Amino acid sequence: MTRFPPLSSETLAGLRHLLGETGVLTDSVSLGAYGVDETEEVDFRPAAVALPETTEQVAAVLQLAAQTGIPVTPRGGGTGLSGGALPVFGGLSLSLERLNRIRFLDQTNLMIEVEAGLITGDLKRAVEEKGLFYPPDPASHDSCQIGGNIAEDAAGPRSCKYGTTRNWVLGLEAVLPDGTVIRTGGATRKNVAGYNLTQLLVGSEGTLAVVTAALLKLINLPRFRLTLAAPFSTLQGAAQAVSRLFVAGVDPASCELMEARALDLVSSLTAIPEQLVDAAALLLLELDGDDDQALLERAARASEVFDTLEEVEVIVAQEAGDQRRLWEIREKIAIAVREYSVYKEADTVVPRSELANLVEKARQVASDRQLEAVCYGHAGDGNLHVNLLRGDLDEATWKENRDAAEAELFDWVAGVGGSVTGEHGIGWSQRRYLPLVAQPAAMKVMRGLKAAFDPRGILNPGKIFTDR
Ligand code: MLT
Ligand code: ZN
């Protein structure tokens, strides 16, 4: 494992000189807070937290780190689920939270430039006030930040129709590990000049450069939305319906699946309508567009698809309040699981046609090891969050069974052409599974890219690869 020098008092004084007294935190409450994110069971404290307010300050911090060899771990809203923002080798946690301005909104070219620390929900609301739409909607939208979304290529229910964060990034401002500021991409809808550094940095989990600002694409806000809740009496039926919806051209903006146990757990946090409580599985769909009649026709088409599998009594919610209540069921599941048991989440993604088999496999790997599996997620993307619950197991048995169950599940996922993370990233907690889906030659190219950007390996070490 890599060794790094400790943070010396001279380097700390240098940081305070660059950022001021309030720009550097070393008290134990702050170090504790910046040592965790929303990943289960991991905690790595930094030696100090740096809070720059400008790109120039980010560059100066990285220059100082490069001179002294101190590791730097960039951090957004701390909502990550693979430990990507945790300083596993100590050193500096570089939080972008104070770079949170909207630099400009261009209503002629439909684009916006924002700083990395802007809360995603604030960005969405700011453009919606102008009738515009930034579609990516991670579950944590009210606390995650655009920079973190870019680092992880975050998604959410609407990626089903609109793609993930990367589909909305036109250009970036970023700081290389030696402190050099670069700009990639730009204000055009097309651009094939040279390697696409913008898209290389998106999803690179803060290991190649620190993104400080992004130029994002916008579209007009759809005028109408419908939410459909379809309770199925079998999980197989719900899972099979997913691929059929797309073949039939229903084109949902979101298509989420929750199995019965997920509904059962979330019922402690929100009301489940009577028609849905006994479902073996629930599909929740959002349809959007500018023609309300066309939406109703697509809703009817969705019902026809369901009826090819079984008779389903679909709830169609047209009022915003009714829609909100239905979506709350889905949004609160992760919290309900966390409150119920110690758990480990596997962020599986498979071709849609494998969804039913995925849930069966999840149940089998769990029950073989006295665990419970709770599956829910973005079925339209083939992306299910499989939560393995500890239940009554003692610590040692839990860890052994959890790891064995997860490894068997990911082996199976890779075997059916899926991947070991759909939207949460490799980060720290999924590193051992990357070789299941990246062949040795591809791993070598990834290592070469890391070395080209960060020859001293000081930026977010310990992530993506197991041996750094
Ligand atoms: C979600 O879809 O709710 C999020 O990805 C969070 C999670 O599954 O834990
Ligand atoms: Zn998710």
Side-chain angles (χ1 to χ4, degrees), residues 139-180:
S140 54
H141 52 81
D142 276 330
S143 46
C144 64
Q145 298 171 7
I146 286 295
N149 292 176
I150 289 170
E152 300 297 322
D153 189 16
R158 290 192 181 127
S159 63
C160 177
K161 174 170 175 180
Y162 293 104
T164 62
T165 299
R166 76 164 65 255
N167 297 95
W168 300 89
V169 181
L170 292 169
L172 294 171
E173 175 190 271
V175 185
L176 298 176
D178 67 359
T180 309

Side-chain angles (χ1 to χ4, degrees), residues 10-21 23-24 57 60-61 64:
E10 291 81 45
T11 308
L12 199 53
L15 273 175
R16 292 207 160 103
H17 177 71
L18 294 173
L19 305 179
E21 281 301 316
V24 184
Q57 286 185 338
V61 169
L64 183 64

Side-chain angles (χ1 to χ4, degrees), residues 23-36:
V24 184
L25 308 175
T26 52
D27 62 287
S28 75
V29 174
S30 302
L31 299 185
Y34 287 81
V36 292

Side-chain angles (χ1 to χ4, degrees), residues 152-301:
E152 300 297 322
D153 189 16
R158 290 192 181 127
S159 63
C160 177
K161 174 170 175 180
Y162 293 104
T164 62
T165 299
R166 76 164 65 255
N167 297 95
W168 300 89
V169 181
L170 292 169
L172 294 171
E173 175 190 271
V175 185
L176 298 176
D178 67 359
T180 309
V181 180
I182 59 166
R183 287 203 74 112
T184 70
T188 57
R189 297 274 156 160
K190 291 167 90 174
N191 185 349
V192 290
Y195 294 141
N196 194 334
L197 295 180
T198 306
Q199 294 300 330
L200 175 60
L201 293 183
V202 179
S204 65
E205 307 197 44
T207 62
L208 302 181
V210 179
V211 170
T212 47
L215 186 59
L216 304 169
K217 204 159 64 172
L218 303 171
I219 54 174
N220 285 310
L221 195 60
R223 290 176 56 211
F224 300 104
R225 288 200 167 112
L226 276 187
T227 295
L228 272 54
F232 280 76
S233 66
T234 67
L235 178 66
Q236 290 287 335
Q240 281 169 16
V242 176
S243 45
R244 294 191 193 188
L245 285 169
F246 291 88
V247 174
V250 173
D251 188 27
S254 310
C255 174
E256 300 283 306
L257 181 143
M258 286 140 268
E259 63 163 315
R261 187 67 174 120
L263 288 175
D264 178 35
L265 289 176
V266 81
S267 66
S268 63
L269 299 180
T270 190
I272 313 278
E274 218 181 291
Q275 306 96 298
L276 307 181
V277 277
D278 292 327
L282 174 67
L283 283 184
L284 202 55
L285 266 58
E286 182 176 82
L287 306 181
D288 68 1
D290 287 342
D291 178 343
D292 53 350
Q293 279 313 311
L295 284 195
L296 289 169
E297 280 160 28
R298 276 158 58 204
R301 207 182 304 168

Side-chain angles (χ1 to χ4, degrees), residues 156 330 378 383 385 423-424:
R330 168 62 187 88
H378 319 294
N383 179 199
H385 303 312
E423 59 173 17
H424 294 167

